[in-house]
Structure formats: C-alpha cells, structure tokens
Amino acid sequence: MTSQEHLTLTLPTFGVQRNLRDQITQTLRAAVISGELRPGVVYSAPSLATQFGVSATPVREAMLDLVKEGLIDTVRNKGFRVTEPSEKDLDDLSELRALIEVPTVRRLAETGVDPAVIAELRPLATGIEHAAAAHDLIAHVATDMQFHLRLLEQAGNPHLVETVRSLRSRSRIYGLRGLADRDELIPSSHEHAELLDLIEARDAAGAEALMTRHIRHVRGIWAE
C-alpha cells in the first residue's frame, strides 16, 4: 500500500516554534496519535515531504525519530508503517497517564502556578479549540501535547514530564475524526481553558476531577 492521497499535513502554527526537523517530528507524531496516519499503510518520506513543501531529508530524519519511539516501523525500500498497539496496550497507557497526571495537576492547583505561565498557556488552550473547530486533528493533538507537557513542567520533575511525553506519544485516539466531523470535539477542547481557570483559582478538587475526565475521554467516548 502507498501513502493516503487524501491526507493533508501542515506544520504546526501554535506555540513555540522549533527547528524544521522538530516541527515535522511533532506533526507526524500527532498524525500517528490522532489516527490520521493509519496502521497498515506504508508512507514514503518523499510523498510526505511534498505535502510539507520541504525536502525529503528532514522528513526521513523525523520518521527515524518516531521509529526510535516505537510509533512506526521501517519497510525496506518502501518507507514507513505505523505500528498498531493492542487495546490492552492503550488501556494500560491511559491507566499510567491517570496515575501520574491527575495527582500532579491536583498538586499544581494546591501549590499554585506562576501567573506568567498561566498566561503563556492560554493561547495554547485557545489554539486547541481553534484546531477542533477547523477539524485539524493533527494541530489539535500537537498543541494538546505541548499544553499538557508545559503545564506538567511546573511540577519541577523532568523525569515525570518525559515519562508522560512517552505515554502520550504511544497512545492512539482513533475516535477523533468522527467527533470532529460531528462538531463534538469543541466542547471537550474547552476543558483546557477550564483547567487553567481551576488551577488559577486553586481549586484542587475541581482540577483533579476535570483531569480525570479528560484522560478518560481517550479510552471512553473517543475510542470509537
């Protein structure tokens, strides 16, 4: 099989700008997580590079980064194929995320987050909603990842952040396309702004409850 012709890939527009390879890696990672790059399909670096409007070299390098993360495999002389975790794998990943992210967010709400960081996260929360309204699942997932990791950084534990980054990267959210097509992704996207409001108000119980619900979406109503 070859690359899906209908897939549209663009570089991220929200948040901190990175070098080209990092931007492409971030976008391809989000495409895998969101299910826009599907298991069983072989994608070639030159084909994806054409969609990005760049040379094949940074795309190939980015895809090799994702091979190291276990998100895709190489297909000799053809390209790359997305790996497909089992349902149990996805359940286990969500469980681990909840065990780490929920109490961390509660603790952040209890201790408080620098207002400058809250102000920095507001545009990302808005960007997530804009991406949902535009049905841009790749931008939605990429910006969501950036939002949550930046928030978790405030706990001061880089090992925790890297663990969550890995867990989120290995997850899949296959129900997003259907939700976006029915305009059901927008309300849940607003949870990011609500989470910031709760943290700003030092509402630890409210932040904990919202974060629990947010993670359950992945293996609940979104896992269609």
PDB file of all heavy atoms in Angstrom, residues 104-135:
ATOM      1  N   THR A 104      -0.592  15.002  39.819  1.00  0.00           N
ATOM      2  CA  THR A 104       0.323  16.113  39.564  1.00  0.00           C
ATOM      3  C   THR A 104      -0.450  17.403  39.333  1.00  0.00           C
ATOM      4  O   THR A 104      -0.092  18.473  39.854  1.00  0.00           O
ATOM      5  CB  THR A 104       1.222  15.808  38.354  1.00  0.00           C
ATOM      6  OG1 THR A 104       1.958  14.615  38.596  1.00  0.00           O
ATOM      7  CG2 THR A 104       2.204  16.948  38.108  1.00  0.00           C
ATOM      8  N   VAL A 105      -1.524  17.326  38.545  1.00  0.00           N
ATOM      9  CA  VAL A 105      -2.353  18.511  38.297  1.00  0.00           C
ATOM     10  C   VAL A 105      -2.994  18.978  39.598  1.00  0.00           C
ATOM     11  O   VAL A 105      -3.082  20.188  39.865  1.00  0.00           O
ATOM     12  CB  VAL A 105      -3.416  18.208  37.221  1.00  0.00           C
ATOM     13  CG1 VAL A 105      -4.493  19.292  37.192  1.00  0.00           C
ATOM     14  CG2 VAL A 105      -2.752  18.099  35.850  1.00  0.00           C
ATOM     15  N   ARG A 106      -3.450  18.049  40.421  1.00  0.00           N
ATOM     16  CA  ARG A 106      -4.025  18.431  41.720  1.00  0.00           C
ATOM     17  C   ARG A 106      -2.988  19.178  42.564  1.00  0.00           C
ATOM     18  O   ARG A 106      -3.306  20.219  43.183  1.00  0.00           O
ATOM     19  CB  ARG A 106      -4.528  17.207  42.473  1.00  0.00           C
ATOM     20  CG  ARG A 106      -5.137  17.578  43.821  1.00  0.00           C
ATOM     21  CD  ARG A 106      -5.530  16.386  44.675  1.00  0.00           C
ATOM     22  NE  ARG A 106      -6.032  16.867  45.946  1.00  0.00           N
ATOM     23  CZ  ARG A 106      -7.318  17.104  46.223  1.00  0.00           C
ATOM     24  NH1 ARG A 106      -8.240  16.871  45.309  1.00  0.00           N
ATOM     25  NH2 ARG A 106      -7.682  17.565  47.417  1.00  0.00           N
ATOM     26  N   ARG A 107      -1.773  18.653  42.585  1.00  0.00           N
ATOM     27  CA  ARG A 107      -0.719  19.284  43.378  1.00  0.00           C
ATOM     28  C   ARG A 107      -0.392  20.694  42.852  1.00  0.00           C
ATOM     29  O   ARG A 107      -0.151  21.618  43.640  1.00  0.00           O
ATOM     30  CB  ARG A 107       0.535  18.411  43.382  1.00  0.00           C
ATOM     31  CG  ARG A 107       1.628  18.911  44.319  1.00  0.00           C
ATOM     32  CD  ARG A 107       2.690  17.863  44.547  1.00  0.00           C
ATOM     33  NE  ARG A 107       3.492  17.602  43.366  1.00  0.00           N
ATOM     34  CZ  ARG A 107       3.406  16.498  42.633  1.00  0.00           C
ATOM     35  NH1 ARG A 107       2.533  15.551  42.958  1.00  0.00           N
ATOM     36  NH2 ARG A 107       4.189  16.320  41.585  1.00  0.00           N
ATOM     37  N   LEU A 108      -0.414  20.841  41.538  1.00  0.00           N
ATOM     38  CA  LEU A 108      -0.149  22.155  40.951  1.00  0.00           C
ATOM     39  C   LEU A 108      -1.233  23.152  41.349  1.00  0.00           C
ATOM     40  O   LEU A 108      -0.951  24.329  41.610  1.00  0.00           O
ATOM     41  CB  LEU A 108      -0.067  22.050  39.430  1.00  0.00           C
ATOM     42  CG  LEU A 108       1.185  21.360  38.869  1.00  0.00           C
ATOM     43  CD1 LEU A 108       1.059  21.181  37.361  1.00  0.00           C
ATOM     44  CD2 LEU A 108       2.437  22.174  39.205  1.00  0.00           C
ATOM     45  N   ALA A 109      -2.472  22.681  41.381  1.00  0.00           N
ATOM     46  CA  ALA A 109      -3.566  23.556  41.793  1.00  0.00           C
ATOM     47  C   ALA A 109      -3.439  23.928  43.269  1.00  0.00           C
ATOM     48  O   ALA A 109      -3.778  25.051  43.674  1.00  0.00           O
ATOM     49  CB  ALA A 109      -4.912  22.889  41.529  1.00  0.00           C
ATOM     50  N   GLU A 110      -2.967  22.998  44.074  1.00  0.00           N
ATOM     51  CA  GLU A 110      -2.800  23.261  45.507  1.00  0.00           C
ATOM     52  C   GLU A 110      -1.679  24.263  45.765  1.00  0.00           C
ATOM     53  O   GLU A 110      -1.820  25.175  46.591  1.00  0.00           O
ATOM     54  CB  GLU A 110      -2.502  21.956  46.240  1.00  0.00           C
ATOM     55  CG  GLU A 110      -3.683  20.994  46.326  1.00  0.00           C
ATOM     56  CD  GLU A 110      -3.294  19.655  46.916  1.00  0.00           C
ATOM     57  OE1 GLU A 110      -2.093  19.302  46.901  1.00  0.00           O
ATOM     58  OE2 GLU A 110      -4.207  18.941  47.398  1.00  0.00           O
ATOM     59  N   THR A 111      -0.571  24.090  45.081  1.00  0.00           N
ATOM     60  CA  THR A 111       0.602  24.941  45.335  1.00  0.00           C
ATOM     61  C   THR A 111       0.586  26.221  44.520  1.00  0.00           C
ATOM     62  O   THR A 111       1.240  27.203  44.881  1.00  0.00           O
ATOM     63  CB  THR A 111       1.893  24.171  45.024  1.00  0.00           C
ATOM     64  OG1 THR A 111       1.883  23.760  43.643  1.00  0.00           O
ATOM     65  CG2 THR A 111       2.008  22.932  45.901  1.00  0.00           C
ATOM     66  N   GLY A 112      -0.143  26.208  43.409  1.00  0.00           N
ATOM     67  CA  GLY A 112      -0.216  27.390  42.558  1.00  0.00           C
ATOM     68  C   GLY A 112       0.801  27.355  41.426  1.00  0.00           C
ATOM     69  O   GLY A 112       1.875  26.760  41.554  1.00  0.00           O
ATOM     70  N   VAL A 113       0.438  27.986  40.323  1.00  0.00           N
ATOM     71  CA  VAL A 113       1.305  28.079  39.148  1.00  0.00           C
ATOM     72  C   VAL A 113       1.555  29.557  38.862  1.00  0.00           C
ATOM     73  O   VAL A 113       0.643  30.389  38.976  1.00  0.00           O
ATOM     74  CB  VAL A 113       0.646  27.399  37.928  1.00  0.00           C
ATOM     75  CG1 VAL A 113       1.449  27.653  36.653  1.00  0.00           C
ATOM     76  CG2 VAL A 113       0.505  25.902  38.175  1.00  0.00           C
ATOM     77  N   ASP A 114       2.768  29.876  38.504  1.00  0.00           N
ATOM     78  CA  ASP A 114       3.152  31.255  38.182  1.00  0.00           C
ATOM     79  C   ASP A 114       2.153  31.855  37.188  1.00  0.00           C
ATOM     80  O   ASP A 114       1.889  31.261  36.134  1.00  0.00           O
ATOM     81  CB  ASP A 114       4.560  31.240  37.564  1.00  0.00           C
ATOM     82  CG  ASP A 114       5.130  32.632  37.346  1.00  0.00           C
ATOM     83  OD1 ASP A 114       4.350  33.596  37.235  1.00  0.00           O
ATOM     84  OD2 ASP A 114       6.364  32.741  37.261  1.00  0.00           O
ATOM     85  N   PRO A 115       1.592  33.018  37.499  1.00  0.00           N
ATOM     86  CA  PRO A 115       0.647  33.658  36.575  1.00  0.00           C
ATOM     87  C   PRO A 115       1.212  33.855  35.165  1.00  0.00           C
ATOM     88  O   PRO A 115       0.461  33.809  34.179  1.00  0.00           O
ATOM     89  CB  PRO A 115       0.367  35.008  37.237  1.00  0.00           C
ATOM     90  CG  PRO A 115       0.591  34.758  38.690  1.00  0.00           C
ATOM     91  CD  PRO A 115       1.727  33.785  38.749  1.00  0.00           C
ATOM     92  N   ALA A 116       2.524  34.047  35.055  1.00  0.00           N
ATOM     93  CA  ALA A 116       3.135  34.210  33.734  1.00  0.00           C
ATOM     94  C   ALA A 116       3.018  32.925  32.921  1.00  0.00           C
ATOM     95  O   ALA A 116       2.843  32.969  31.697  1.00  0.00           O
ATOM     96  CB  ALA A 116       4.606  34.611  33.871  1.00  0.00           C
ATOM     97  N   VAL A 117       3.105  31.783  33.588  1.00  0.00           N
ATOM     98  CA  VAL A 117       2.962  30.502  32.897  1.00  0.00           C
ATOM     99  C   VAL A 117       1.510  30.290  32.486  1.00  0.00           C
ATOM    100  O   VAL A 117       1.229  29.816  31.379  1.00  0.00           O
ATOM    101  CB  VAL A 117       3.457  29.345  33.788  1.00  0.00           C
ATOM    102  CG1 VAL A 117       3.191  27.993  33.120  1.00  0.00           C
ATOM    103  CG2 VAL A 117       4.938  29.504  34.087  1.00  0.00           C
ATOM    104  N   ILE A 118       0.576  30.642  33.377  1.00  0.00           N
ATOM    105  CA  ILE A 118      -0.836  30.547  33.025  1.00  0.00           C
ATOM    106  C   ILE A 118      -1.112  31.389  31.788  1.00  0.00           C
ATOM    107  O   ILE A 118      -1.802  30.948  30.851  1.00  0.00           O
ATOM    108  CB  ILE A 118      -1.726  31.019  34.190  1.00  0.00           C
ATOM    109  CG1 ILE A 118      -1.560  30.110  35.410  1.00  0.00           C
ATOM    110  CG2 ILE A 118      -3.190  31.081  33.757  1.00  0.00           C
ATOM    111  CD1 ILE A 118      -2.105  28.718  35.223  1.00  0.00           C
ATOM    112  N   ALA A 119      -0.556  32.594  31.747  1.00  0.00           N
ATOM    113  CA  ALA A 119      -0.745  33.482  30.593  1.00  0.00           C
ATOM    114  C   ALA A 119      -0.130  32.880  29.338  1.00  0.00           C
ATOM    115  O   ALA A 119      -0.664  33.041  28.224  1.00  0.00           O
ATOM    116  CB  ALA A 119      -0.123  34.846  30.885  1.00  0.00           C
ATOM    117  N   GLU A 120       0.973  32.167  29.490  1.00  0.00           N
ATOM    118  CA  GLU A 120       1.633  31.503  28.360  1.00  0.00           C
ATOM    119  C   GLU A 120       0.789  30.349  27.826  1.00  0.00           C
ATOM    120  O   GLU A 120       0.769  30.080  26.616  1.00  0.00           O
ATOM    121  CB  GLU A 120       2.995  30.989  28.820  1.00  0.00           C
ATOM    122  CG  GLU A 120       3.763  30.191  27.774  1.00  0.00           C
ATOM    123  CD  GLU A 120       5.004  29.544  28.366  1.00  0.00           C
ATOM    124  OE1 GLU A 120       5.519  30.044  29.380  1.00  0.00           O
ATOM    125  OE2 GLU A 120       5.448  28.524  27.796  1.00  0.00           O
ATOM    126  N   LEU A 121       0.079  29.656  28.737  1.00  0.00           N
ATOM    127  CA  LEU A 121      -0.719  28.507  28.350  1.00  0.00           C
ATOM    128  C   LEU A 121      -2.060  28.888  27.740  1.00  0.00           C
ATOM    129  O   LEU A 121      -2.655  28.079  27.016  1.00  0.00           O
ATOM    130  CB  LEU A 121      -0.949  27.609  29.569  1.00  0.00           C
ATOM    131  CG  LEU A 121       0.280  26.856  30.091  1.00  0.00           C
ATOM    132  CD1 LEU A 121      -0.030  26.214  31.443  1.00  0.00           C
ATOM    133  CD2 LEU A 121       0.733  25.807  29.092  1.00  0.00           C
ATOM    134  N   ARG A 122      -2.552  30.079  28.015  1.00  0.00           N
ATOM    135  CA  ARG A 122      -3.856  30.492  27.491  1.00  0.00           C
ATOM    136  C   ARG A 122      -3.935  30.416  25.964  1.00  0.00           C
ATOM    137  O   ARG A 122      -4.912  29.884  25.417  1.00  0.00           O
ATOM    138  CB  ARG A 122      -4.200  31.908  27.964  1.00  0.00           C
ATOM    139  CG  ARG A 122      -4.451  32.043  29.452  1.00  0.00           C
ATOM    140  CD  ARG A 122      -5.808  31.548  29.851  1.00  0.00           C
ATOM    141  NE  ARG A 122      -6.063  31.727  31.293  1.00  0.00           N
ATOM    142  CZ  ARG A 122      -7.075  31.185  31.928  1.00  0.00           C
ATOM    143  NH1 ARG A 122      -7.952  30.432  31.280  1.00  0.00           N
ATOM    144  NH2 ARG A 122      -7.221  31.383  33.227  1.00  0.00           N
ATOM    145  N   PRO A 123      -2.944  30.943  25.224  1.00  0.00           N
ATOM    146  CA  PRO A 123      -3.011  30.845  23.759  1.00  0.00           C
ATOM    147  C   PRO A 123      -2.981  29.405  23.255  1.00  0.00           C
ATOM    148  O   PRO A 123      -3.591  29.097  22.224  1.00  0.00           O
ATOM    149  CB  PRO A 123      -1.766  31.619  23.287  1.00  0.00           C
ATOM    150  CG  PRO A 123      -1.419  32.514  24.421  1.00  0.00           C
ATOM    151  CD  PRO A 123      -1.791  31.760  25.657  1.00  0.00           C
ATOM    152  N   LEU A 124      -2.300  28.517  23.984  1.00  0.00           N
ATOM    153  CA  LEU A 124      -2.291  27.114  23.583  1.00  0.00           C
ATOM    154  C   LEU A 124      -3.680  26.512  23.759  1.00  0.00           C
ATOM    155  O   LEU A 124      -4.157  25.752  22.908  1.00  0.00           O
ATOM    156  CB  LEU A 124      -1.271  26.324  24.402  1.00  0.00           C
ATOM    157  CG  LEU A 124       0.204  26.638  24.142  1.00  0.00           C
ATOM    158  CD1 LEU A 124       1.089  25.843  25.096  1.00  0.00           C
ATOM    159  CD2 LEU A 124       0.581  26.335  22.704  1.00  0.00           C
ATOM    160  N   ALA A 125      -4.338  26.839  24.872  1.00  0.00           N
ATOM    161  CA  ALA A 125      -5.698  26.357  25.098  1.00  0.00           C
ATOM    162  C   ALA A 125      -6.631  26.852  23.997  1.00  0.00           C
ATOM    163  O   ALA A 125      -7.470  26.101  23.485  1.00  0.00           O
ATOM    164  CB  ALA A 125      -6.196  26.812  26.471  1.00  0.00           C
ATOM    165  N   THR A 126      -6.466  28.113  23.619  1.00  0.00           N
ATOM    166  CA  THR A 126      -7.265  28.671  22.521  1.00  0.00           C
ATOM    167  C   THR A 126      -6.941  27.969  21.209  1.00  0.00           C
ATOM    168  O   THR A 126      -7.834  27.673  20.411  1.00  0.00           O
ATOM    169  CB  THR A 126      -7.004  30.179  22.386  1.00  0.00           C
ATOM    170  OG1 THR A 126      -7.361  30.838  23.611  1.00  0.00           O
ATOM    171  CG2 THR A 126      -7.826  30.776  21.247  1.00  0.00           C
ATOM    172  N   GLY A 127      -5.664  27.696  20.997  1.00  0.00           N
ATOM    173  CA  GLY A 127      -5.244  27.008  19.774  1.00  0.00           C
ATOM    174  C   GLY A 127      -5.845  25.626  19.646  1.00  0.00           C
ATOM    175  O   GLY A 127      -6.203  25.193  18.546  1.00  0.00           O
ATOM    176  N   ILE A 128      -5.978  24.926  20.764  1.00  0.00           N
ATOM    177  CA  ILE A 128      -6.595  23.591  20.760  1.00  0.00           C
ATOM    178  C   ILE A 128      -8.049  23.700  20.306  1.00  0.00           C
ATOM    179  O   ILE A 128      -8.534  22.900  19.504  1.00  0.00           O
ATOM    180  CB  ILE A 128      -6.496  22.950  22.157  1.00  0.00           C
ATOM    181  CG1 ILE A 128      -5.030  22.670  22.512  1.00  0.00           C
ATOM    182  CG2 ILE A 128      -7.300  21.648  22.214  1.00  0.00           C
ATOM    183  CD1 ILE A 128      -4.805  22.333  23.973  1.00  0.00           C
ATOM    184  N   GLU A 129      -8.756  24.708  20.804  1.00  0.00           N
ATOM    185  CA  GLU A 129     -10.152  24.910  20.420  1.00  0.00           C
ATOM    186  C   GLU A 129     -10.269  25.305  18.953  1.00  0.00           C
ATOM    187  O   GLU A 129     -11.165  24.830  18.242  1.00  0.00           O
ATOM    188  CB  GLU A 129     -10.797  25.974  21.310  1.00  0.00           C
ATOM    189  CG  GLU A 129     -10.944  25.548  22.763  1.00  0.00           C
ATOM    190  CD  GLU A 129     -11.769  26.522  23.567  1.00  0.00           C
ATOM    191  OE1 GLU A 129     -12.909  26.811  23.157  1.00  0.00           O
ATOM    192  OE2 GLU A 129     -11.279  27.012  24.604  1.00  0.00           O
ATOM    193  N   HIS A 130      -9.383  26.172  18.498  1.00  0.00           N
ATOM    194  CA  HIS A 130      -9.406  26.578  17.090  1.00  0.00           C
ATOM    195  C   HIS A 130      -9.161  25.387  16.173  1.00  0.00           C
ATOM    196  O   HIS A 130      -9.812  25.253  15.122  1.00  0.00           O
ATOM    197  CB  HIS A 130      -8.351  27.660  16.830  1.00  0.00           C
ATOM    198  CG  HIS A 130      -8.711  28.998  17.390  1.00  0.00           C
ATOM    199  ND1 HIS A 130      -7.817  30.053  17.431  1.00  0.00           N
ATOM    200  CD2 HIS A 130      -9.866  29.462  17.931  1.00  0.00           C
ATOM    201  CE1 HIS A 130      -8.415  31.099  17.977  1.00  0.00           C
ATOM    202  NE2 HIS A 130      -9.651  30.763  18.285  1.00  0.00           N
ATOM    203  N   ALA A 131      -8.225  24.527  16.557  1.00  0.00           N
ATOM    204  CA  ALA A 131      -7.921  23.354  15.743  1.00  0.00           C
ATOM    205  C   ALA A 131      -9.124  22.413  15.702  1.00  0.00           C
ATOM    206  O   ALA A 131      -9.431  21.818  14.663  1.00  0.00           O
ATOM    207  CB  ALA A 131      -6.698  22.627  16.297  1.00  0.00           C
ATOM    208  N   ALA A 132      -9.819  22.275  16.836  1.00  0.00           N
ATOM    209  CA  ALA A 132     -11.018  21.432  16.875  1.00  0.00           C
ATOM    210  C   ALA A 132     -12.096  21.994  15.960  1.00  0.00           C
ATOM    211  O   ALA A 132     -12.751  21.248  15.218  1.00  0.00           O
ATOM    212  CB  ALA A 132     -11.535  21.319  18.303  1.00  0.00           C
ATOM    213  N   ALA A 133     -12.285  23.310  15.992  1.00  0.00           N
ATOM    214  CA  ALA A 133     -13.306  23.948  15.150  1.00  0.00           C
ATOM    215  C   ALA A 133     -12.974  23.801  13.669  1.00  0.00           C
ATOM    216  O   ALA A 133     -13.874  23.670  12.829  1.00  0.00           O
ATOM    217  CB  ALA A 133     -13.434  25.420  15.515  1.00  0.00           C
ATOM    218  N   ALA A 134     -11.666  23.799  13.366  1.00  0.00           N
ATOM    219  CA  ALA A 134     -11.227  23.665  11.971  1.00  0.00           C
ATOM    220  C   ALA A 134     -11.102  22.214  11.529  1.00  0.00           C
ATOM    221  O   ALA A 134     -10.748  21.937  10.384  1.00  0.00           O
ATOM    222  CB  ALA A 134      -9.884  24.366  11.787  1.00  0.00           C
ATOM    223  N   HIS A 135     -11.393  21.273  12.439  1.00  0.00           N
ATOM    224  CA  HIS A 135     -11.262  19.833  12.178  1.00  0.00           C
ATOM    225  C   HIS A 135      -9.819  19.456  11.831  1.00  0.00           C
ATOM    226  O   HIS A 135      -9.585  18.501  11.096  1.00  0.00           O
ATOM    227  CB  HIS A 135     -12.195  19.388  11.048  1.00  0.00           C
ATOM    228  CG  HIS A 135     -13.650  19.562  11.354  1.00  0.00           C
ATOM    229  ND1 HIS A 135     -14.652  19.125  10.509  1.00  0.00           N
ATOM    230  CD2 HIS A 135     -14.299  20.138  12.412  1.00  0.00           C
ATOM    231  CE1 HIS A 135     -15.840  19.419  11.017  1.00  0.00           C
ATOM    232  NE2 HIS A 135     -15.645  20.038  12.187  1.00  0.00           N
TER     233      HIS A 135
END
